Amino acid sequence: MDVVSPELNSLLPDEIMDTESIEEVPQPNTTTVQSETSDDTSVPMETDTPMAAEKLSICSGAASSEQTRSLTTTSTDSILGSSSEGQILISSSPPSLLTLKSALATSTASTKTTDSVTSTTSVSTSGLQKLTAPFTISPANHQIILNKVASSQATEAAKTAGTLPQVIKQDGQKLLVTTIGKTGQPIVLQLPHMGNRPGGSQTSGDVKSQAPQFKVVTIGGKELKPMVSTPGNQLTTLQAQQLKTVQIAKKSPASSAAPIKLFITKTVNSKGLTPQTTVPAGFAGRVVTQTTPVMPPRTITLSDTHSASIQSIPGKKIAISPLKTPSKVTVVSVASPTSSSSLKSVTLPVNVAINQQILAVQQSTSVSPVKVATSQATVQNIKPVQSVSVGGVAASQFKTLIPLATQTNVQQIQVPGSRFHYVRLVTATTASSTGQPSGPSTSSIQTAKPMGVSTGAVRMSVPIVPAQTMKQVAPKPAAQVVTTTQTQQRLIMPATPLPQIQPNFTNLPPGTVLAPAPGGGNVGYAVVPAQYVTQLQQSPYVTLASTGFPASNAVQTQARLPLNGMSTAESTSRPRKPCNCTKSQCLKLYCDCFANGEFCNNCNCNNCFNNLEHETERLKAIKTCLERNPEAFKPKIGKGKEGESERRHSKGCNCKRSGCLKNYCECYEAKIMCSSICKCIGCKNFEESPERKTLMHLADAAEVRVQQQTAAKTKLSSQISDLLTRTTPVISSGSGRLPYTFVTKEVLEATCECLLEQAKKAEQTHQPQAEAERLILEEFGHCLMRIISSAGKAKADCASINC
DNA sequence: GAGTTTGAAACT
DNA sequence: CAGTTTCAAACTC
């Protein structure tokens, strides 16, 4: 296997490297990949951090650099590889590592895209190596973006490169992958494109400015010419933080199909901060990274299943914003509308398995149900039009699944001041014009039937929805929240037309859900950043707006980030602690509720602004926090470096007096050891620490005691309850309580007979009514006395036998 | 429950 | 970036 230089590998995100289950799936079928330049203007995605960008692009043109590789649409296996070091490799070899195939390869479970026809794309390295990557081409304008960086940068870069729309032809189309530069040098992989597409670029000029060190090479026919060349692109070392982008643009030659782009962008943080990867859908394919022998193989799988009948839909884009939390996985599936769509069957599964992030986007028409395979080898038939695939995810990882129920145009929406990316979904009917309201009116929100994908660790994220936003896009009754039988999936919220939302986007807090899209049966569900994880269903705090709710009462969703250092199950099962803030108005990170992305609920705080009533202030506060620290809402406990503890504090603690053995210490509180990045003094929170061990033993013992006590209480309660249920109710009588079961039906009948007899007697004797009543009541009293007497006697007998 | 301690967050 | 202040949770009594 051909491997790009280790230095390049080092640039790849760690998440990518963690990906497992590289699967070779030779795809015999070679199908035509068509993509067409779309008029859609992609919404630039925010960049987590300004960085130098390194870009891999598969573009038309001849590769000039030494590490140039060609991607050819042939029946061979193609490999896109990246090393753990953040290096992105596109290597091909007969025994290809990377396979672009229609099904999600991660799972052995059969993932069938019944309607889709797999096209094979081969990647050849310098003509010496060929990699076949079968993939399906999505409708026009579909874009797949794996991006941690602002899309704007990528867009700009694309503009500079002048290679926006890329077209992959069915046969013989050649893709050259040029790895330019050595260590740290930007690599651009770009599919051959038909022509420039102004405004359609996903990349922004920021790339150039921020990351002068990337080089884009377009391969046009046999001629290779550098698309972008910056001074630093040759062998210079990348900046501390570098952006890597893999862009694959597909464009149908003459068809109306819009180009499909695949961007894999990574920002490499010199500090080793958790990089994030976003995979926009629209293109299935599998990128297998890590061919480096030294590094454990990590795989990014992009499976692109494309039926031969597939026709690209112009203006259709899917951009998945980078995940806020590395440990979260966002899965977005966009389903084509069942309506009269030109598309007969489109399956655009994108399965990306990245260390802690997996983004899977699969798009298909309603006509062709798609099976989704999860990493757990779980294959489900999702409703037609919806399919989500997730692969290779660790159990503890957070994942967000947001199916998009309709054929939609997806646009990235950037919220100024935040790093969150939003996805806009536009129904197919209005797909023609991007950026315009797709739906007839917001008032009509159709029933959305989001599907959850069964992945053990998958959970739906429910972003916080500001009331303000919801006022405009308040979910209509039809909106449905569907959860699968699987454990951790949660919510799905319908996407709303951009125009309605957009005005508020600047104020949207991270995790805001784009609301239900209007328009006929085409309701899209937009995901929103995984930043906020929902408390839906499980949480008593969650309030979902329901049908008929006035806009002002619109959804108040309790969103919650995974508690730091806690697993999903833990965070969800453990009740949230109410805060006691008094001065911060619960709008600063002092407030745990706010810090966790939650609204205050049942708290003890004073002058709380962390609620819908003060959404403006709240949004402003969120923005302020993010400006101050973009990582502010990220979990503090993340994955440590290789060889270190699995979990560690992202910043480390600064304890001075607690010895890091009290809950003052965030590390100790998270039940993790202090790490090298901690600045604590007198730390005793390390593996061999006797104090810590003692403390742990005590804690364990205490926990055991608590559990035992709880169990005992539970058992006792159960017994009492059982006893009460079995024991008939009693009536009080003197010293004790007598079971009223003595008042049986027979007793009642007898009593009534006695009373009737008394009445008859009075009637026969022609007693006045008053006298008759008195006699009856008197008899009733006698009856009661006899009953009580009998009950008392029975009780005594029962007690004597200890019953 | 009040007061103290602690360290993160916020501020300068 | 370092020092200081503010803040709320953790802790003690």
Side-chain angles (χ1 to χ4, degrees):
Chain A
M1 175 185 303
D2 186 10
V3 175
V4 177
S5 63
E7 295 81 357
L8 291 176
N9 287 333
S10 64
L11 295 177
L12 282 179
D14 293 339
E15 293 84 352
I16 294 173
M17 299 313 299
D18 287 344
T19 303
E20 294 178 353
S21 70
I22 297 169
E23 191 175 313
E24 291 180 356
V25 178
Q27 296 297 327
N29 292 336
T30 300
T31 60
T32 299
V33 175
Q34 292 177 347
S35 65
E36 186 179 61
T37 302
S38 64
D39 294 340
D40 293 345
T41 300
S42 64
V43 176
M45 297 176 68
E46 289 185 18
T47 302
D48 288 343
T49 57
M51 308 170 179
E54 183 173 354
K55 192 173 187 179
L56 285 176
S57 66
I58 298 170
C59 60
S60 62
S64 61
S65 70
E66 56 189 25
Q67 292 178 344
T68 300
R69 290 180 177 82
S70 64
L71 290 174
T72 303
T73 58
T74 62
S75 62
T76 59
D77 292 340
S78 66
I79 297 171
L80 294 177
S82 65
S83 67
S84 62
E85 295 300 324
Q87 186 174 6
I88 296 171
L89 296 177
I90 297 173
S91 62
S92 63
S93 63
S96 66
L97 295 176
L98 175 65
T99 300
L100 297 177
K101 62 181 179 180
S102 61
L104 296 178
T106 57
S107 170
T108 57
S110 64
T111 59
K112 293 180 180 179
T113 57
T114 57
D115 293 341
S116 66
V117 175
T118 302
S119 66
T120 301
T121 301
S122 66
V123 176
S124 64
T125 301
S126 299
L128 294 176
Q129 293 176 346
K130 266 185 183 176
L131 293 178
T132 299
F135 59 91
T136 300
I137 294 174
S138 65
N141 286 339
H142 285 189
Q143 291 179 345
I144 297 173
I145 297 172
L146 298 179
N147 185 2
K148 180 182 179 174
V149 199
S151 62
S152 62
Q153 294 178 347
T155 302
E156 187 65 20
K159 290 180 180 179
T160 58
T163 63
L164 294 178
Q166 299 299 323
V167 175
I168 296 171
K169 294 181 180 179
Q170 294 176 343
D171 294 338
Q173 181 98 25
K174 292 181 179 180
L175 297 178
L176 294 179
V177 177
T178 301
T179 60
I180 298 170
K182 295 177 181 179
T183 302
Q185 290 180 345
I187 297 171
V188 175
L189 295 178
Q190 188 171 2
L191 294 175
H193 63 283
M194 296 303 293
N196 292 337
R197 184 188 63 175
S201 65
Q202 287 294 325
T203 61
S204 65
D206 294 341
V207 173
K208 184 177 181 179
S209 62
Q210 293 178 351
Q213 297 172 344
F214 76 93
K215 183 177 183 178
V216 176
V217 176
T218 61
I219 300 167
K222 295 179 180 179
E223 181 177 357
L224 176 67
K225 78 180 175 182
M227 297 299 297
V228 174
S229 175
T230 59
N233 63 358
Q234 292 300 321
L235 295 176
T236 61
T237 60
L238 293 176
Q239 295 176 349
Q241 294 178 340
Q242 293 177 342
L243 172 66
K244 294 179 180 178
T245 302
V246 175
Q247 179 177 0
I248 299 171
K250 297 177 181 178
K251 179 180 179 181
S252 61
S255 66
S256 62
I260 299 170
K261 292 180 180 180
L262 170 62
F263 292 92
I264 299 172
T265 303
K266 178 195 174 179
T267 300
V268 176
N269 189 333
S270 63
K271 294 180 180 178
L273 296 178
T274 59
Q276 297 174 344
T277 302
T278 298
V279 178
F283 162 31
R286 183 178 181 183
V287 176
V288 177
T289 62
Q290 175 58 33
T291 58
T292 303
V294 176
M295 299 303 292
R298 295 180 183 180
T299 302
I300 296 173
T301 300
L302 300 177
S303 62
D304 182 0
T305 301
H306 184 66
S307 63
S309 63
I310 294 171
Q311 294 177 351
S312 64
I313 298 171
K316 200 168 185 180
K317 294 178 180 178
I318 299 171
I320 300 172
S321 64
L323 296 178
K324 191 73 175 168
T325 302
S327 61
K328 295 179 181 177
V329 175
T330 299
V331 176
V332 176
S333 67
V334 176
S336 310
T338 58
S339 62
S340 63
S341 173
S342 61
L343 295 176
K344 293 180 181 178
S345 67
V346 175
T347 300
L348 298 176
V350 174
N351 184 8
V352 176
I354 299 172
N355 179 1
Q356 288 182 345
Q357 293 178 342
I358 293 175
L359 298 177
V361 176
Q362 190 169 10
Q363 186 174 9
S364 63
T365 60
S366 61
V367 176
S368 63
V370 176
K371 291 181 180 179
V372 175
T374 62
S375 62
Q376 290 79 10
T378 301
V379 176
Q380 288 182 341
N381 256 336
I382 294 174
K383 284 184 178 181
V385 180
Q386 291 178 345
S387 64
V388 176
S389 63
V390 177
V393 178
S396 63
Q397 297 172 346
F398 292 96
K399 301 172 184 175
T400 300
L401 293 178
I402 298 172
L404 300 177
T406 64
Q407 175 179 357
T408 59
N409 291 331
V410 177
Q411 290 182 344
Q412 299 176 8
I413 297 170
Q414 179 177 1
V415 177
S418 75
R419 300 183 308 118
F420 294 96
H421 297 178
Y422 298 89
V423 176
R424 176 196 173 199
L425 298 178
V426 178
T427 59
T429 56
T430 59
S432 61
S433 65
T434 302
Q436 293 179 351
S438 61
S441 67
T442 58
S443 62
S444 66
I445 295 173
Q446 295 178 345
T447 300
K449 294 180 180 179
M451 297 299 294
V453 176
S454 66
T455 55
V458 175
R459 60 179 303 191
M460 302 303 294
S461 70
V462 177
I464 294 173
V465 178
Q468 183 177 358
T469 299
M470 296 307 298
K471 289 178 181 177
Q472 296 178 347
V473 295
K476 296 298 187 281
Q480 293 179 347
V481 174
V482 175
T483 58
T484 62
T485 57
Q486 294 299 323
T487 56
Q488 303 203 346
Q489 293 179 350
R490 297 273 183 311
L491 141 76
I492 297 169
M493 296 195 65
T496 191
L498 180 59
Q500 295 177 344
I501 299 173
Q502 200 164 9
N504 289 331
F505 263 103
T506 56
N507 292 329
L508 289 178
T512 298
V513 170
L514 303 184
N522 295 334
V523 176
Y525 289 86
V527 177
V528 214
Q531 173 64 23
Y532 287 79
V533 176
T534 314
Q535 296 173 340
L536 282 183
Q537 294 182 345
Q538 298 176 347
S539 174
Y541 308 114
V542 174
T543 300
L544 291 179
S546 61
T547 302
F549 272 39
S552 61
N553 291 336
V555 181
Q556 176 173 358
T557 301
Q558 272 289 340
R560 175 166 66 182
L561 287 171
L563 296 180
N564 291 335
M566 296 176 61
S567 65
T568 302
E570 288 174 332
S571 62
T572 55
S573 63
R574 184 173 302 181
R576 182 177 64 87
K577 287 170 47 178
C579 71
N580 300 299
C581 306
T582 57
K583 297 180 179 180
S584 67
Q585 297 177 326
C586 297
L587 291 182
K588 292 188 177 180
L589 295 177
Y590 297 129
C591 176
D592 285 345
C593 301
F594 180 79
N596 289 330
E598 300 174 355
F599 288 111
C600 284
N601 191 310
N602 295 328
C603 292
N604 302 317
C605 44
N606 295 328
N607 194 23
C608 179
F609 278 42
N610 186 24
N611 49 46
L612 285 178
E613 286 73 18
H614 300 86
E615 53 183 307
T616 304
E617 293 85 351
R618 182 173 177 273
L619 294 176
K620 184 177 181 179
I622 292 172
K623 183 179 179 181
T624 302
C625 288
L626 289 175
E627 287 175 351
R628 186 183 298 119
N629 177 19
E631 314 286 326
F633 294 99
K634 283 186 176 181
K636 293 179 180 177
I637 306 302
K639 186 169 182 279
K641 293 179 181 179
E642 189 176 357
E644 293 183 355
S645 174
E646 182 66 18
R647 294 161 62 242
R648 74 168 186 176
H649 198 285
S650 60
K651 293 168 57 182
C653 67
N654 300 294
C655 304
K656 295 177 178 65
R657 304 173 69 90
S658 66
C660 299
L661 290 181
K662 291 187 178 181
N663 283 333
Y664 298 127
C665 176
E666 292 190 348
C667 296
Y668 180 82
E669 186 180 22
K671 294 180 174 60
I672 59 176
M673 311 288 181
C674 288
S675 64
S676 59
I677 61 174
C678 292
K679 304 173 189 67
C680 45
I681 299 173
C683 180
K684 296 175 182 177
N685 185 23
F686 54 92
E687 185 64 39
E688 293 80 10
S689 171
E691 292 88 349
R692 176 186 159 277
K693 290 180 179 177
T694 301
L695 214 55
M696 288 300 175
H697 290 153
L698 291 174
D700 291 342
E703 185 175 359
V704 169
R705 283 197 300 272
V706 170
Q707 290 177 349
Q708 290 176 344
Q709 290 176 355
T710 302
K713 288 180 180 178
T714 303
K715 183 178 181 180
L716 182 61
S717 299
S718 175
Q719 290 176 343
I720 292 173
S721 176
D722 183 62
L723 188 62
L724 290 175
T725 56
R726 287 189 292 113
T727 302
T728 55
V730 296
I731 57 175
S732 63
S733 173
S735 60
R737 294 178 64 85
L738 300 175
Y740 64 73
T741 52
F742 288 98
V743 185
T744 61
K745 180 180 179 180
E746 291 75 12
V747 172
L748 289 176
E749 290 177 352
T751 302
C752 289
E753 288 179 0
C754 291
L755 298 178
L756 287 175
E757 185 64 24
Q758 198 65 20
K760 287 180 181 177
K761 187 183 295 183
E763 183 177 343
Q764 289 174 356
T765 59
H766 301 286
Q767 297 293 331
Q769 183 176 354
E771 182 63 18
E773 292 176 354
R774 187 189 65 81
L775 292 174
I776 295 171
L777 290 175
E778 192 175 41
E779 179 62 20
F780 182 69
H782 292 159
C783 291
L784 288 178
M785 290 302 295
R786 286 195 293 270
I787 294 171
I788 294 170
S789 176
S790 299
K793 188 180 294 183
K795 179 182 179 183
D797 295 339
C798 180
S800 64
I801 61 176
N802 194 20
C803 65

